[in-house]
Amino acid sequence: MKNYQKKSAFLILFGLFINIYSIHSQTNNDVALYNWFDKAVGKENLELYNGPRHINFYRTFDKSHSYYISEDYSNGNLNYQGQNYYNLNLKYDVNNDLLVLKSVGEYEYLGINLIKEKTAYFTLQNKKFINIEINNPEHPAYMTGYYQEIVFSKNNTLYIKHHKRREKVIDAQKISDGSNANSSDRFKEKNEFILKYKNEYYKIGSKSDVIKIFPEYKGQIKKYYNNNSQLEESDNKLFIENLIKEINNLLPNASN
């Protein structure tokens, strides 16, 4: 009887939600409506909270970790099974290419691995990440999983595959003392850059790769590398992003 009552209440709420949405569908209230519906139904009853538990198997003694920017949860949005969800607590395990959602209710201390095949895209730290296999059917075979997407124009899109190289670290001091040495993990960024230009995909790993794509701007590309060597060393992602932005501004019809 209780289950029947819950289902009835859910159907009533859903019907009310649809009516309200149809009335305001021409406004900018989509986010508020979705949040109202999620709250009314109860977040713990939503489909996206049914994924497997997230477990961090790594132990680090330094400040490195396997997550994008921070190992703490951050506010983000996502599209899951064609449904938009807003203001969620998310973090992205780039080493394993897993999007992690913080649980709610009595199990809020747990993380949930969102099923990748159902996740079309998400935003985190004001960056957009897409599931390349859902959003770009024509993608090369070597591109799989989540990519940060930066659209400069209809002919020019940069994809960043965020990844971190895992290294095992042995306590050398304990080895010299004859003690049982403990090992830990250390993570270093090792990102991959792919440019989609005029419907062709190019891997960018060096200056020569960029020149091969844009030979007519060889001089400008060399100058950029010479003038921004420190940025290339300190923040390779921003270095590549700014490079493609500059090249895009040189292209004919750059605003298209």
Side-chain angles (χ1 to χ4, degrees):
M1 184 63 180
K2 289 183 178 180
N3 289 334
Y4 174 78
Q5 292 174 338
K6 287 182 178 180
K7 289 181 179 179
S8 297
F10 175 84
L11 290 174
I12 293 171
L13 285 170
F14 184 75
L16 181 58
F17 171 76
I18 294 299
N19 288 334
I20 294 176
Y21 184 81
S22 63
I23 293 171
H24 296 277
S25 59
Q26 303 302 316
T27 72
N28 295 321
N29 293 330
D30 289 8
V31 174
L33 286 170
Y34 278 118
N35 288 340
W36 172 86
F37 181 67
D38 293 346
K39 183 177 180 181
V41 173
K43 284 189 174 182
E44 67 276 7
N45 294 319
L46 298 175
E47 178 65 25
L48 75 167
Y49 286 93
N50 292 327
R53 177 184 175 186
H54 177 72
I55 300 175
N56 184 359
F57 292 100
Y58 308 121
R59 179 176 62 170
T60 59
F61 292 146
D62 58 7
K63 294 183 179 181
S64 68
H65 51 78
S66 65
Y67 300 92
Y68 172 69
I69 297 184
S70 173
E71 57 187 332
D72 297 325
Y73 290 98
S74 300
N75 184 272
N77 309 321
L78 65 87
N79 180 281
Y80 193 78
Q81 289 189 304
Q83 171 71 58
N84 292 325
Y85 296 91
Y86 301 94
N87 300 319
L88 300 171
N89 289 311
L90 302 171
K91 60 182 177 179
Y92 176 29
D93 180 352
V94 299
N95 190 62
N96 296 293
D97 203 30
L98 290 172
L99 180 61
V100 184
L101 170 68
K102 185 179 181 182
S103 188
V104 293
E106 60 180 314
Y107 300 108
E108 65 178 355
Y109 59 91
L110 297 177
I112 298 169
N113 292 334
L114 290 169
I115 299 172
K116 190 180 300 180
E117 292 76 15
K118 297 181 180 181
T119 308
Y121 61 83
F122 65 92
T123 62
L124 193 61
Q125 301 282 351
N126 295 318
K127 306 295 183 181
K128 183 179 181 180
F129 296 79
I130 68 166
N131 186 333
I132 196 73
E133 293 158 285
I134 294 177
N135 291 273
N136 292 64
E138 78 286 1
H139 70 278
Y142 60 80
M143 294 181 72
T144 61
Y146 299 122
Y147 282 78
Q148 182 185 343
E149 180 187 57
I150 306 172
V151 179
F152 295 101
S153 69
K154 67 178 183 180
N155 290 323
N156 199 345
T157 302
L158 177 66
Y159 296 100
I160 304 176
K161 183 65 173 180
H162 293 271
H163 186 68
K164 293 186 177 182
R165 184 176 63 249
R166 178 190 174 199
E167 300 174 348
K168 296 298 292 184
V169 180
I170 306 297
D171 191 332
Q173 182 63 43
K174 288 193 174 182
I175 293 177
S176 63
D177 293 342
S179 307
N180 292 326
N182 293 324
S183 65
S184 63
D185 298 297
R186 180 169 59 198
F187 292 92
K188 293 185 177 180
E189 284 196 22
K190 186 176 176 61
N191 302 315
E192 181 181 74
F193 303 93
I194 298 171
L195 181 68
K196 182 183 178 183
Y197 178 60
K198 292 183 177 180
N199 293 320
E200 295 290 335
Y201 292 81
Y202 304 90
K203 288 186 177 181
I204 299 176
S206 66
K207 176 171 56 179
S208 61
D209 291 335
V210 184
I211 292 175
K212 286 179 182 178
I213 305 170
F214 305 102
E216 66 273 32
Y217 302 116
K218 181 178 180 179
Q220 292 94 327
I221 293 169
K222 284 187 174 182
K223 182 178 180 180
Y224 178 86
Y225 270 83
N226 291 335
N227 293 341
N228 295 277
S229 57
Q230 290 185 344
L231 179 61
E232 183 181 16
E233 183 68 26
S234 63
D235 192 338
N236 192 234
K237 296 189 296 295
L238 183 59
F239 173 84
I240 295 295
E241 182 178 346
N242 287 346
L243 169 62
I244 303 303
K245 185 184 297 182
E246 283 204 14
I247 294 174
N248 187 69
N249 290 335
L250 296 172
L251 295 173
N253 302 318
S255 61
N256 294 331

